[in-house]
């Protein structure tokens, strides 16, 4: 089937973007000055390296929209000059000054599992300016431009002569005008829901929860708690929690947006703590939204750790490391409660993902015992491995039999 026949379709796992991305990848790899390239289907970007070791990101959303309905030949006619122009601009244009670029900086909120992906031997964590925000999500900074956005790298900081905190703060401040406008619009109707689709992504509305004071201002505007969601890479949803049932409805709506997103980010509801920091919105068991939030948290963890696992597994196969990355499994119990679990085989050096439960398996007998993560982490004083996000924990040998039996009994009670 030709690529043109896919262009009318939409959906995060449809063939349209996949085929388009592979066509773009072949064009990028053919460009002079490109040392290697990979297509990231989830982010819908091409990451390519240059001979001097730099890594660049080429977003495909803009050319994809231009090509909707085109045949394969017409799609290539659009893509080739687009790709060639961006690659040539990176290779030949002098780096602009900090003063010129600062107003064009924008923050973006993304899943963090891709940080372990390598391009030309270097992980994205090493070649991207990023920082953790909440479980599974990171903040990046991009340079906005009419044709495409460019991801800021640590190399850029050296060129500009500024530190990372200055870049992050500047990017967030550049959304202050949009933040004020959305606060003014919130609560002006009887149904206090703010849904800014921002389908083109030009507003960077998905980063509004990162703007200092934005969630707090929404909360003050309506006089109650507010849930904020960044279900996909474009758009934002915020709603006043006027009742427990309304909270459940918001969580359900956000989940639909997450499932339909071309590039999903998170179905988890967020709020701001007393210091203005983004944190997950929590409700107690029995609350109408509790099951939905548990499902959202488990879904996000499984997605993020799956991406990270692929990168770490490649490192193991390439003998970059001798540590086995543990897999995170997304489960639903008989009572409908969703959770996560990870297996750990005794005496195998393993990088465990953070899960709700751990299954300890004996390499000799094959017997398996399930324990709660919190109990195991406390018993072994687990600490995250530096440099990995989402967090992983290096383990090797199980606790003694008596300790395992005690932890298993506590989990069963």
């Amino acid at each position: 089937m030709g690529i043109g026949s896919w262009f009318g379709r939409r959906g995060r796992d449809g063939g349209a973007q996949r085929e388009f991305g592979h066509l773009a990848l072949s064009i990028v790899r053919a460009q002079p000055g490109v040392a290697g390239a990979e297509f990231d289907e989830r982010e819908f970007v091409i990451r390519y390296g240059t001979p001097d070791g730099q890594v660049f990101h080429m977003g495909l959303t803009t050319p994809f929209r231009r090509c909707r309905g085109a045949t394969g030949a017409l799609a290539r006619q659009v893509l080739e000059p687009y790709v060639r122009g961006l690659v040539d601009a990176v290779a030949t244009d002098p780096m602009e000054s900090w003063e010129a670029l600062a107003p064009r900086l924008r923050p973006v909120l993304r899943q963090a599992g891709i940080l372990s992906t390598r391009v030309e031997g270097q992980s994205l964590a090493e070649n991207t300016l990023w920082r953790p925000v909440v479980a599974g999500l990171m903040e990046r900074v991009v340079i906005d431009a009419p044709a495409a956005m460019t991801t800021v790298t640590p190399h850029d900081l050296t060129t500009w002569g500024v530190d990372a905190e200055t870049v992050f703060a500047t990017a967030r401040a550049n959304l202050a005008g949009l933040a004020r406008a959305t606060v003014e619009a919130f609560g002006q109707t009887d149904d206090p829901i703010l849904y800014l689709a921002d389908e083109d992504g030009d507003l960077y509305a998905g980063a509004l929860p990162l703007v200092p004071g934005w969630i707090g201002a929404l909360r003050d505007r309506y006089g109650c708690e507010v849930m904020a969601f960044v279900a996909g890479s474009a758009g934002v949803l915020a709603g006043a929690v006027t009742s427990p049932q309304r909270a459940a409805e918001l969580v359900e709506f956000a989940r639909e947006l997450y499932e339909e997103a071309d590039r999903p980010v998170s179905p988890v509801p967020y709020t701001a703590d007393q210091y203005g920091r983004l944190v997950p919105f929590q409700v107690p068991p029995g609350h109408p939204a509790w099951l939905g939030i548990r499902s959202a948290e488990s879904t996000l963890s499984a997605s993020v750790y799956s991406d990270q696992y692929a990168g770490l597994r490649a490192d193991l196969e390439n003998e970059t490391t001798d540590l086995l990355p543990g897999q995170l499994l997304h489960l639903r119990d008989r009572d409908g409660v969703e959770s996560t679990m990870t297996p750990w085989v005794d005496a195998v050096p393993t990088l465990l993902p953070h899960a709700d439960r751990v299954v300890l398996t004996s390499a000799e007998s094959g017997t398996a015992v399930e324990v709660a993560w919190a109990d195991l982490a406390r018993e072994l004083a687990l600490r995250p491995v530096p440099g990995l996000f989402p967090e992983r924990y290096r383990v090797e040998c199980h606790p003694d039999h008596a300790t395992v039996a005690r932890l298993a009994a506590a989990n069963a009670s």
Side-chain angles (χ1 to χ4, degrees):
M1 182 177 291
I3 184 171
S5 61
W6 283 102
F7 284 166
R9 301 189 180 185
R10 181 177 177 84
R12 57 178 290 190
D13 58 353
Q17 292 188 341
R18 185 179 306 112
E19 291 209 24
F20 188 84
H22 285 294
L23 174 61
L25 179 63
S26 66
I27 296 173
V28 171
R29 285 176 170 170
Q31 300 304 307
V34 172
E38 294 181 359
F39 169 49
D40 186 328
E41 183 176 346
R42 180 181 294 275
E43 289 288 304
F44 202 40
V45 300
I46 300 291
R47 297 190 180 87
Y48 67 95
T50 55
D52 60 359
Q54 296 191 67
V55 176
F56 298 92
H57 299 222
M58 180 183 297
L60 298 178
T61 301
T62 296
F64 180 70
R65 289 198 178 98
R66 293 177 183 173
C67 289
R68 281 190 182 277
T71 64
L74 288 177
R76 181 176 287 274
Q77 289 179 14
V78 173
L79 263 176
E80 285 186 334
Y82 179 85
V83 168
R84 186 166 55 249
L86 290 181
V87 172
D88 288 348
V90 167
T92 61
D93 285 0
M95 178 61 67
E96 294 186 58
S97 67
W98 165 251
E99 290 74 15
L101 288 175
R104 293 165 49 195
L105 298 181
R106 301 291 186 272
V108 293
L109 196 59
R110 296 290 186 267
Q111 291 192 6
I114 60 172
L115 288 172
S116 294
T117 303
R118 291 186 181 274
V119 177
E120 292 299 296
Q122 292 187 308
S123 70
L124 295 182
E126 298 169 325
N127 281 284
T128 303
L129 180 66
W130 68 277
R131 63 181 177 184
V133 179
V134 291
L137 300 186
M138 63 173 170
E139 178 181 6
R140 296 199 323 237
V141 176
V142 300
I143 303 170
D144 185 44
M149 62 182 184
T150 304
T151 300
V152 174
T153 69
H155 175 76
D156 293 327
L157 303 187
T158 303
T159 302
W160 297 335
V162 297
D163 59 20
E165 183 57 39
T166 298
V167 173
F168 283 114
T170 301
R172 290 184 175 193
N174 287 339
L175 290 184
L178 178 63
R180 286 193 297 269
T182 53
V183 170
E184 287 298 317
F186 188 72
Q188 293 183 355
T189 68
D190 294 334
D191 191 17
I193 293 180
L194 169 69
Y195 176 44
L196 186 56
D198 190 19
E199 292 185 357
D200 293 332
D202 294 340
L203 298 176
Y204 294 89
L208 282 173
L210 297 173
V211 176
W214 184 70
I215 293 179
L218 294 178
R219 185 190 296 140
D220 294 341
R221 183 80 173 172
Y222 205 75
C224 65
E225 289 297 325
V226 168
M227 283 181 169
F229 301 85
V230 183
S233 60
V236 67
L237 168 68
V241 183
T242 54
S243 69
Q245 186 58 39
R246 172 46 63 94
E249 292 169 355
L250 286 168
V251 171
E252 182 180 358
F253 180 34
R255 183 57 176 261
E256 293 175 2
L257 295 176
Y258 175 83
E259 297 292 348
E260 295 172 359
D262 290 329
R263 289 179 288 165
V265 176
S266 173
V268 175
Y270 299 101
T271 187
D273 65 12
Q274 59 181 327
Y275 304 106
R277 297 173 302 195
L278 196 67
V279 294
F281 193 104
Q282 299 291 320
V283 297
H287 188 285
W290 186 76
L291 281 176
I293 292 177
R294 278 297 300 265
S295 173
E297 292 172 340
S298 299
T299 298
L300 176 61
S301 292
S303 176
V304 172
Y305 274 117
S306 175
D307 287 342
Q308 186 192 52
Y309 173 83
L312 296 177
R313 184 74 192 189
D315 286 348
L316 180 66
E317 294 172 354
N318 295 330
E319 299 182 349
T320 305
T321 179
D322 59 357
L323 298 175
L324 176 70
Q327 289 186 285
L328 189 82
L329 306 180
H330 183 186
L331 309 174
R332 175 178 293 168
D333 297 334
R334 293 179 179 177
D335 59 3
V337 177
E338 296 181 37
S339 60
T340 57
M341 182 271 288
T342 185
W344 170 17
V345 178
D346 192 21
V348 176
T350 303
L351 290 172
L352 281 186
H354 192 291
D356 295 312
R357 303 189 299 275
V358 182
V359 174
L360 306 177
T361 303
S362 170
E364 296 180 356
S365 65
T367 57
V369 176
E370 186 177 283
V371 302
W373 174 275
D375 295 339
L376 183 68
R378 183 170 52 252
E379 188 71 36
L380 299 182
L382 294 181
R383 296 290 182 270
V385 174
L388 286 180
F389 185 74
E391 293 88 354
R392 284 184 180 261
Y393 304 77
R394 190 190 188 286
V395 295
E396 185 167 350
C397 296
H398 290 174
D400 59 64
H401 293 298
T403 300
V404 170
R406 174 167 51 81
L407 296 178
N411 181 64
S413 60

